[in-house]
Amino acid sequence: MTTNLILFGPPGTGKTYSTAEEAVRLCDGSIPASRESLMQRYDALLDEGRIEFVTFHQSFSYEDFVEGLRPFTGEPDGEGSETGASSSGFSLKPIDGVFKRISERARLDVGAAGEGRLDRTRSIFKMALGQRDVDEQQILDALDTNQIRIGWGGKIDWSDEQFDDFEAIHSRWKAEVGSDVSGHDGNVVMTWSFRSSMQIRDYVAVSDGRDRIRAFGQVASDYLFDPDTESFPHQRSVDWIWRRDEGADRSLFYPNGFRRHAVYKLDMALVDWDGLEEVVLGEDGTDPSANARSHVLVIDEINRANISKVFGELITLLEADKRLGAANAIRLRLPYSGKSFGVPANLHIIGTMNTADRSIALLDTALRRRFQFRELLPKPDLLSTNPDGIDLQALLTRMNERIEYLFDRDHQIGHAYFIHCRSRDDVDTVMRDKVIPLLVEYFYEDWEKIRQVLGETSDEGRFVSRRALVPPPGMDGYGADEVRYRYAVRTRFADDAYTGFA
């Protein structure tokens, strides 16, 4: 079942620490016995892309989380934009956020075998092998021998690595036919696309006119030059994934009619990969595979961002019965890319929430309804009872009792602050640099309450001293009788500082 879980509690109670355990358990079904083995597995799942970790903050937005437009300089990634030439200005492109990225990875996962899907990180090239009926034998020869071929580029062998560069191809062709050749000449552009832009493992769609394809395959070799072939000496090997003589409609996966160019890269932002997989693999690719593995998104400090702003309309899709493949599955059209989007059932979400920042009672109601909540409270029993004679368990217990009495239970102090203390110096450092500043924040510099939490009973104090201030001259009226103090954290805590917590 899909898990939407928020771990909440005061600071230092191990919320972020616990996310690794929860994430590995959801991915693998069990957890290793030791923390070291657990973190090794957690890191491996991060590297595999099955776990993503993100921290929310006040500036985090929908554009960071789901998708947003980003400016890019240079040549736009439209059809046939692979000429290698640069241009001035910039263009805006929709870029996926962390939530959309891991949602798509989870939806497209096919299990440990890793087979059954197209690689959506690759480019697709439209390839014309000839005109139906007119060049039918030529087309069949290429398909039957697992090749794609072009005649553009003359009888020049373009194999040398210098022709990885567009300008090198342009200069060589100018030397061949004349200096007035532009960079838009078909021999230059087609040679660049076929020889340099196209890479091994990219895909080719063999066109059948403007509106149909008759074969689809994956490039299996680098550029090859065959000097013994008269008409089409420039070749590559292809592993055909799908082939059908009657063809299939181009509109099932690509909205634009094919251009007359022999070869060019499609605009990848327009490719409907789900539709393409249904054509060439014969399967509906919109829902997750039955073998899809669990993926986990960890959101640290989930309550620090504006939840409504970050999730937007996708808050609806988090419910288990609205996930892809569920009885009431919902897909929405995203505002920037215009693409249909749904959340797969194999994506789990774990959030952490610091109750000292924001009470769970103030959390967005829509989010609360879609998540389970698990409270993590301080665990004094995890602490040592005798680092240099200091009972850390008693210290943490007494302080939290006093905080809850004077303030509330959401602002307790977690055991993680003291978990690594092995000596009196360690404890003093934690108290001076972490605990007392935290209490100052909790009580808005009300030093009397801070002293009460620390168990102070005298002006000298064990941790925080106070000294009465002398009223300024002329204060004979209102407030003159009120005693005011100057407070200071002691440079060195009293020898018996921790006896007041027993």
Side-chain angles (χ1 to χ4, degrees):
M1 293 182 61
T2 300
T3 296
N4 293 333
L5 173 67
I6 289 181
L7 306 174
F8 72 99
T13 52
K15 298 179 294 297
T16 305
Y17 182 91
S18 298
T19 58
E21 181 176 311
E22 289 293 329
V24 171
R25 182 183 60 80
L26 287 168
C27 285
D28 293 347
S30 61
I31 57 173
S34 69
R35 182 70 184 182
E36 181 180 3
S37 299
L38 172 70
M39 293 311 298
Q40 288 176 353
R41 181 56 182 154
Y42 178 83
D43 291 339
L45 290 167
L46 278 174
D47 293 339
E48 291 176 24
R50 291 179 59 195
I51 295 176
E52 286 273 5
F53 186 98
V54 63
T55 300
F56 276 9
H57 50 80
Q58 289 87 341
S59 299
F60 206 79
S61 67
Y62 179 93
E63 288 74 15
D64 300 311
F65 192 58
V66 184
E67 68 170 15
L69 296 177
R70 296 288 187 272
F72 286 84
T73 58
E75 188 75 15
D77 290 336
E79 286 185 346
S81 64
E82 74 279 8
T83 58
S86 61
S87 64
S88 59
F90 71 92
S91 59
L92 294 174
K93 292 174 52 180
I95 299 299
D96 295 344
V98 61
F99 181 65
K100 185 181 177 186
R101 289 198 304 270
I102 194 168
S103 291
E104 286 297 278
R105 281 203 299 272
R107 181 176 73 88
L108 300 174
D109 189 76
V110 291
E115 299 177 353
R117 294 277 193 180
L118 299 178
D119 184 352
R120 303 188 181 206
T121 65
R122 308 304 307 191
S123 297
I124 302 175
F125 288 79
K126 174 265 185 184
M127 186 77 213
L129 296 177
Q131 185 176 348
R132 177 180 283 274
D133 298 331
V134 176
D135 304 308
E136 189 66 18
Q137 191 57 50
Q138 171 184 298
I139 297 171
L140 292 176
D141 286 345
L143 294 176
D144 290 341
T145 57
N146 299 321
Q147 286 186 334
I148 51 175
R149 310 163 178 169
I150 63 170
W152 296 90
K155 298 288 289 184
I156 301 173
D157 182 356
W158 301 99
S159 300
D160 193 285
E161 65 179 14
Q162 66 173 309
F163 298 120
D164 289 347
D165 181 64
F166 177 83
E167 287 303 323
I169 294 175
H170 187 198
S171 298
R172 177 66 181 86
W173 189 251
K174 284 197 297 184
E176 181 75 10
V177 301
S179 60
D180 59 342
V181 176
S182 76
H184 297 288
D185 183 275
N187 288 284
V188 176
V189 174
M190 304 300 171
T191 300
W192 162 260
S193 297
F194 189 83
R195 182 256 178 257
S196 302
S197 181
M198 186 182 293
Q199 302 291 317
I200 294 176
R201 299 190 64 78
D202 282 346
Y203 296 109
V204 289
V206 177
S207 62
D208 185 7
R210 284 178 50 84
D211 298 315
R212 297 184 72 77
I213 63 169
R214 62 186 298 174
F216 185 86
Q218 191 166 34
V219 178
S221 75
D222 286 319
Y223 164 84
L224 303 170
F225 177 72
D226 185 354
D228 298 327
T229 302
E230 184 62 31
S231 300
F232 302 97
H234 313 294
Q235 305 172 0
R236 281 179 179 266
S237 297
V238 175
D239 294 327
W240 298 117
I241 299 172
W242 172 88
R243 176 182 171 183
R244 184 177 298 167
D245 289 341
E246 64 271 24
D249 286 342
R250 175 264 314 149
S251 61
L252 294 174
F253 73 94
Y254 197 68
N256 295 352
F258 290 139
R259 303 198 321 236
R260 294 178 62 88
H261 293 61
V263 57
Y264 68 91
K265 185 169 71 174
L266 300 183
D267 184 346
M268 301 312 298
L270 300 179
V271 173
D272 180 352
W273 285 95
D274 291 338
L276 179 59
E277 286 187 349
E278 191 164 358
V279 172
V280 303
L281 301 180
E283 298 178 359
D284 182 358
T286 56
D287 290 341
S289 162
N291 297 321
R293 297 166 296 180
S294 292
H295 288 60
V296 178
L297 174 61
V298 179
I299 305 174
D300 201 26
E301 306 285 0
I302 193 171
N303 56 315
R304 293 187 64 210
N306 184 328
I307 298 298
S308 299
K309 177 182 177 183
V310 171
F311 279 91
E313 71 278 17
L314 301 188
I315 194 75
T316 302
L317 306 185
L318 297 182
E319 294 185 53
D321 69 325
K322 305 297 191 301
R323 301 291 189 101
L324 295 178
N328 302 308
I330 293 178
R331 296 180 70 91
L332 300 175
R333 194 157 298 280
L334 297 176
Y336 294 110
S337 65
K339 292 186 176 181
S340 177
F341 177 76
V343 180
N346 60 322
L347 174 62
H348 309 280
I349 301 174
I350 302 173
T352 70
M353 177 177 166
N354 188 339
T355 54
D357 288 336
R358 186 180 185 186
S359 170
I360 190 173
L362 301 177
L363 200 59
D364 187 287
T365 303
L367 186 73
R368 291 180 64 188
R369 189 169 66 82
R370 289 168 172 85
F371 277 79
Q372 306 169 41
F373 288 81
R374 183 186 304 165
E375 187 175 33
L376 298 183
L377 291 174
K379 298 179 179 178
D381 55 297
L382 297 180
L383 302 178
S384 170
T385 59
N386 191 30
D388 288 347
I390 301 173
D391 188 342
L392 291 180
Q393 295 183 9
L395 169 65
L396 185 62
T397 300
R398 295 291 90 75
M399 282 199 298
N400 282 331
E401 287 175 348
R402 295 163 184 172
I403 291 172
E404 189 170 353
Y405 183 90
L406 295 169
F407 199 169
D408 60 34
R409 70 196 302 272
D410 287 340
H411 289 76
Q412 297 180 69
I413 296 170
H415 53 271
Y417 285 96
F418 297 96
I419 201 75
H420 298 297
C421 290
R422 299 292 180 266
S423 66
R424 164 72 186 250
D425 288 342
D426 293 340
V427 180
D428 285 352
T429 299
V430 168
M431 290 294 292
R432 177 177 291 104
D433 298 342
K434 295 183 178 182
V435 173
I436 293 177
L438 186 63
L439 294 175
V440 172
E441 179 184 339
Y442 280 178
F443 292 103
Y444 303 97
E445 299 192 54
D446 185 338
W447 285 93
E448 281 303 313
K449 288 185 177 179
I450 295 169
R451 280 169 51 87
Q452 290 170 11
V453 171
L454 297 174
E456 305 288 26
T457 57
S458 66
D459 288 350
E460 183 181 4
R462 297 185 179 96
F463 299 96
V464 177
S465 64
R466 70 179 184 183
R467 179 173 63 84
L469 296 172
V470 178
M475 283 198 64
D476 299 327
Y478 177 78
D481 297 332
E482 181 182 354
V483 180
R484 299 188 177 222
Y485 296 95
R486 170 180 291 167
Y487 300 91
V489 178
R490 291 181 51 151
T491 304
R492 185 178 183 279
F493 296 152
D495 293 338
D496 61 346
Y498 299 102
T499 60
F501 299 98

